[in-house]
Amino acid sequence: MRGMKVAVTMLVAVLLTGCGRGEGAAGGEDGRTAAGEWPTTERGGLVEGMVLPLEKYLVYYPDFVAAENARITAVDDCMKRYGFRYDLPPLGDFPPPSVNSANMERRYGISDRTVAEKYAYRLPEAVAGDPGDYQLPGGEAASVVLRGPDAGVRQGARESIPGDLPQGGCSGQAEKLLGRLDDQLASDLGMESQKKSEDDRTVREAISAWSDCMAGHGYRAEHPHEAYEIVPASSREVSPQEIAVAVADIGCKAETDLIAIWFEVETRIQNNLIEENAPALEEQRAANERVLEQAARS
């Protein structure tokens, strides 16, 4: 669970592998999908109201869905001209656990007692399962249309496509038209700030206090990201023992003020990183805004 990311770079594979898509960019008027509710910026528990400085440069899940829906439509429109379809399952039915790669809900370990009392360390979304890979209909010829003449298929499949294909196929054409959301720099800096914050003396002392508190409840763990190993999940059902550890974990975080201390230290680190990387971060944010504007017009 350490360093767990939900970055857009983990999600863009939808173009080739497929994920679920909701009703438009909002997944329905209330944001609810087949697997449950979309992650939102409203955070509860010990991270309520906490937003790290780098989050303003990250891609948020609803924006990702809007951009990918536009891309999927553009690819499908292109492929139909060659007699194929790019009819992916709905995007949004299998949302990630956090609205962006900061993963605030679990960045410092679990943080919401209400969720822990039901799921312990597990993710509620995991119950819904996985949509599986998308199988492109049309075989090798469709792959050529999707990815372009240089797709790794038989020569005969390439020669069977009538007319000229755009460079990079329909996927390449859609990317050229719409662009692609990218928050890699901000996400990488977020991982750097998390690592640096763990080396901070104040945070180390708070983690040590948390560990002592856990020991007082009969549990041994040196770090919050290791607490889930105390009682490993051994069945589909969440056990009372798992819940007991999770509740003690959050109670000790509250008692030692661990999350508030950690957040304050990491906020300072991120502000410094933003100052050092401001031009590149602003360029990336502006590019993402252009992608979303283009998606909204398409």
Side-chain angles (χ1 to χ4, degrees):
M1 298 177 75
R2 186 188 295 267
M4 189 167 57
K5 292 180 62 181
V6 194
V8 67
T9 50
M10 296 174 62
L11 297 170
V12 293
V14 65
L15 263 179
L16 299 180
T17 61
C19 276
R21 169 175 60 180
E23 295 300 322
E29 290 184 357
D30 64 351
R32 184 178 293 277
T33 63
E37 294 186 1
W38 280 19
T40 72
T41 56
E42 295 180 8
R43 291 154 180 165
L46 300 178
V47 295
E48 183 176 1
M50 291 184 179
V51 179
L52 285 167
L54 276 168
E55 288 193 69
K56 64 184 176 183
Y57 298 103
L58 295 176
V59 173
Y60 283 64
Y61 184 66
D63 289 338
F64 167 78
V65 172
E68 288 305 307
N69 278 345
R71 187 191 310 279
I72 290 166
T73 299
V75 173
D76 189 43
D77 288 344
C78 173
M79 293 195 67
K80 282 189 287 191
R81 296 198 295 270
Y82 297 91
F84 299 101
R85 294 299 308 272
Y86 192 63
D87 190 18
L88 265 68
L91 175 66
D93 284 348
F94 296 87
S98 188
V99 75
N100 61 37
S101 66
N103 192 27
M104 283 300 297
E105 294 84 355
R106 290 170 181 252
R107 190 173 188 85
Y108 311 118
I110 58 173
S111 59
D112 193 320
R113 182 186 176 100
T114 301
V115 175
E117 287 175 342
K118 186 173 183 180
Y119 298 104
Y121 291 91
R122 306 192 194 192
L123 292 173
E125 290 80 3
V127 177
D130 187 279
D133 289 347
Y134 170 69
Q135 300 299 319
L136 180 69
E140 289 184 326
S143 294
V144 173
V145 174
L146 176 63
R147 300 181 179 90
D150 296 329
V153 298
R154 292 178 298 106
Q155 182 66 30
R158 292 194 291 272
E159 293 174 348
S160 68
I161 306 302
D164 294 332
L165 285 173
Q167 185 173 5
C170 290
S171 177
Q173 177 177 278
E175 181 165 347
K176 183 177 180 180
L177 173 66
L178 298 171
R180 182 182 290 279
L181 292 174
D182 177 15
D183 65 357
Q184 190 63 58
L185 174 59
S187 184
D188 287 346
L189 291 174
M191 293 180 68
E192 180 180 343
S193 70
Q194 188 172 19
K195 183 177 185 303
K196 285 183 174 180
S197 69
E198 290 194 42
D199 293 333
D200 182 90
R201 180 178 58 82
T202 306
V203 173
R204 292 201 310 269
E205 290 175 352
I207 289 175
S208 179
W210 169 87
S211 179
D212 290 343
C213 176
M214 289 292 283
H217 290 275
Y219 304 121
R220 289 182 56 83
E222 299 298 321
H223 194 284
H225 289 145
E226 299 169 357
Y228 75 99
E229 298 174 344
I230 295 174
V231 180
S234 58
S235 66
R236 185 175 179 81
E237 300 248 340
V238 181
S239 70
Q241 293 79 14
E242 290 177 72
I243 293 174
V245 174
V247 170
D249 179 353
I250 292 174
C252 285
K253 285 182 177 129
E255 182 178 323
T256 59
D257 215 18
L258 171 59
I259 288 182
I261 292 170
W262 203 338
F263 174 78
E264 182 179 355
V265 169
E266 191 171 14
T267 294
R268 171 174 48 80
I269 293 171
Q270 286 201 0
N271 281 329
N272 291 335
L273 289 172
I274 289 172
E275 185 175 352
E276 294 168 6
N277 296 272
L281 286 167
E282 289 298 335
E283 181 180 351
Q284 191 173 74
R285 180 163 67 169
N288 286 338
E289 289 175 354
R290 289 193 294 271
V291 170
L292 292 172
E293 289 169 0
Q294 185 62 40
R297 288 195 295 265
S298 64

